Amino acid sequence: MSVKRVVIHAGLPKTASTFLQVNVFPFIPAHDCEFNPPSLVGPLLELCKEIVTCGSTTPERIRSLRDLIDPELERIQAPTLLLSVEGFLPLHCGGYGRSDAILGVLTQLFDDPVMVVFLREQSAWIRSAYSFCLVSKFILPFDEYVNREGDGRFGNRVPRMLSV
């Protein structure tokens, strides 16, 4: 296989994923790294949507995706493949509740991928997430937002994320 390393940047919301995807990753020289080839990103996003909707996927589906992915990996000449798509861990539709399932399936699709997950200090993340909600016309007083967040009632906890 021509790809020596697969790096999956799991772009958790509000952790500078967009900044990295726009201002850093595309400027890595192509002979060093292939960044987000559409032939791989499209099928992987569809898989992530399935997991968010259904909660899991079948071994047959994983095998069929491996059959699609392996030839694409052979085609890549760069020593590193970097996949960084915020949709891998979606913010809405129970995405956080499915994050470890999504990451688990992604690790099955590639041989020994490197998983990169950036985290933010909790109070900074909450302020940033709240600002995003205000821009999105989600109206809730900050104290109530923080209390709901702390209770886990938004269902956006990332169980065992650090163990992946």
Side-chain angles (χ1 to χ4, degrees):
M1 183 176 300
S2 61
V3 173
K4 293 182 175 63
R5 179 175 45 181
V6 175
V7 177
I8 299 172
H9 169 237
L12 290 171
K14 310 312 292 173
T15 60
S17 299
T18 302
F19 176 83
L20 292 170
Q21 292 162 356
V22 171
N23 298 300
V24 177
F25 297 155
F27 299 101
I28 299 172
H31 63 275
D32 291 332
C33 176
E34 176 130 357
F35 172 60
N36 281 353
S39 59
L40 292 176
V41 169
L44 292 176
L45 279 172
E46 289 303 314
L47 174 70
C48 292
K49 288 177 190 175
E50 290 171 27
I51 294 171
V52 166
T53 303
C54 304
S56 64
T57 192
T58 65
E60 295 80 23
R61 175 75 166 124
I62 293 171
R63 277 193 296 279
S64 71
L65 274 172
R66 277 295 298 240
D67 291 343
L68 174 85
I69 287 170
D70 287 344
E72 289 299 315
L73 291 177
E74 289 293 330
R75 179 195 60 74
I76 294 170
Q77 298 299 308
T80 301
L81 167 64
L82 172 59
L83 297 168
S84 178
V85 179
E86 291 170 78
F88 287 165
L89 298 180
L91 178 59
H92 304 295
C93 303
Y96 281 130
R98 309 285 190 218
S99 295
D100 56 338
I102 290 170
L103 293 176
V105 169
L106 290 175
T107 60
Q108 294 175 47
L109 291 174
F110 300 97
D111 296 325
D112 299 319
V114 175
M115 302 297 277
V116 178
V117 180
F118 291 103
L119 303 174
R120 263 179 102 167
E121 189 271 324
Q122 186 175 8
S123 64
W125 184 89
I126 288 174
R127 285 191 301 274
S128 182
Y130 183 69
S131 296
F132 174 78
C133 288
L134 291 177
V135 169
S136 302
K137 307 293 188 235
F138 173 80
I139 306 299
L140 190 65
F142 184 73
D143 289 342
E144 186 176 341
Y145 177 84
V146 170
N147 289 335
R148 288 182 64 153
E149 184 66 20
D151 292 344
R153 285 185 276 159
F154 280 148
N156 60 359
R157 296 283 147 246
V158 184
R160 300 178 322 210
M161 176 61 74
L162 296 177
S163 67
V164 174

